[in-house]
Amino acid sequence: MATSPPYPTYPPAPTGSPAPGGVLRHPHWWQRTWVRYAAPSSLLALSGLVILALVRQQTGTEGFLVGLGLAVFPVPLLIAAFRWLDRVEPGPWRNLAFCFAWGACAAALVAIIANSFATHWIAVATADPKGADTLGMTVIAPVVEESAKATAVLLVFLFRRRHFTGIVDGVVTAGVTATGFAFTENILYLGTAFGTDQSDGGHGGIASVTAATFFVRVVMSPFAHPLFTVFTGIGFGISALTAEHRRVRRTLAPLGGLLLAMGMHSLWNGSTSFGDGYGFFAVYGAFMVPMFGLLTWLVISTRQRELRTVRAELPAYVVAGWLTMPEPFVMGSMKARRLARDHARDRLGKAAARTVAEYEAYATSLAFLRHRGRSGRAGADFVVRERELLQELWHRREVARPALAHAGHTLAGAVLWGIPPAYGAPAHGVPTYGAPAYGVPHYGHVPMHGPPTHTGFPAYRSPVHSGPVHGNPGYARPGRSGSGSGYATPGYADSPAYGAPAADGYGTVPGPVAPAPEATTPTPTRTPMPTSTPTPPSAAPSPPSSA
């Protein structure tokens, strides 16, 4: 099930900022939430109406409908492919909807107006209409179109920065924008081809201009525009991964990606003008297909690296008592994630599956946040973000943890049997991960290499705070090893810092038991660390005194 994480809701900002005299000052009208949403929505709607009128004027009503029906074929496949790439940390649908609408409406409108105006101006100035068409196709169109599509990537990068954290996010944002642009452009080309067939006597079939256009644009090269713009997205993704103090690299990476996208677009458009018609097939076979394969490999390998990052970063929260033992490894396997959602859906329905999906998304965001912090790329809001993500996980633990445990033990051979000793139960009685045995969550009610020792998993309901449910440890909160619950995770009240970084760096998550020095990652020295300790959420029950 592909779902978007409902990114944490933040406390509402005050209605105004304090003035020098201490009186709240109302924000400017352009800072209001409804203005920020209404302005781009109105702009896109207006652009959509204008582009609809222009395309219909050039193709006619019948041609427009035929072009619309044929151009829609590759859209679901391309959107599904980009969503698949984004499954590790899925972004919100509203971002993708904005990107598609920008490409289909605003970028297409800018391209039609600018290309027509520039080509006409060159033709009048040089008195060479044929040369103007060639120049417009190979130079003007790539510059204008790629710049228009890159604007959407820039807007998401600037105003949805929390959702734009790496190369995969850049590829998905750029690809969806280009898919929307190609959709509108295909309507125009296919509708025009249909009009040409009608004017030539209504010739149809495989020899028609419409069929040839459909084969070239929809069957052979539906990935052309996304392939060009993906280079721009990669540039912005590299910028997102670069530390803030490296401003030159953060600026040059998007510009380099944009220039590369323009160059590829120019080569593709110009391939039809040389080689007596064979240039198109030469560029397609010798350049476009290999480049498409190379980018596909790059993006998929980046996706796998993200999963490895999740498996590497989350065990620190296991030691601190925020996560259970199987979770880092289940989160690092897309098959295990899907199995957990399916199990929750079978037990409690779609709402439970959605809760598990949200838990997975929040845990992934937490892992990426910690990874950025340890590499010196975290922002000033690191502690606040970590607190919010941990709170969202804590509120969903009752439904998510049993489902994740089920997925982990179903795939025990692929996931849990591969747990390194440092993250598992102590071997031969020796504590691991630099912590005593009582400080490491053992998930004691489930053996590591077999099915649960009890008759079932904890009930999918509100846990009994005072003890286990049906003989299994309750998920309401971790209890001490001495409580008899078998769930040897430190108590919630004993983990005061919400996993916030300690004064020694991002590499440790404070809790009742500190990891050993050899288990921690060296911390960057250039980033000062906050020393405040957030308080636990009021919604979480405190453990009983007997615990």
Side-chain angles (χ1 to χ4, degrees), residues 412-460:
V415 180
L416 293 183
W417 290 1
I419 294 180
Y423 298 142
H428 307 295
V430 180
T432 57
Y433 205 73
Y438 61 82
V440 181
H442 291 202
Y443 215 77
H445 67 291
V446 181
M448 295 298 293
H449 303 293
T453 55
H454 298 289
T455 56
F457 290 98
Y460 276 74

Side-chain angles (χ1 to χ4, degrees), residues 30 66 90 93 150-151 173 198 237 239 294 347 378 381 451 455 482 488:
W30 61 80
V66 171
W93 271 104
T151 303
T173 302
Q198 294 297 103
S239 179
L294 179 62
R347 293 287 299 273
D381 63 339
T455 56

Side-chain angles (χ1 to χ4, degrees), residues 108 152 349 369 386 431 474 478 522:
L369 177 68
E386 189 179 41

Side-chain angles (χ1 to χ4, degrees), residues 235-258:
F236 277 98
I238 294 175
S239 179
L241 292 173
T242 305
E244 293 185 1
H245 68 279
R246 306 184 66 176
R247 297 183 179 180
V248 176
R249 182 178 178 182
R250 287 172 58 89
T251 303
L252 293 182
L255 292 178
L258 177 60

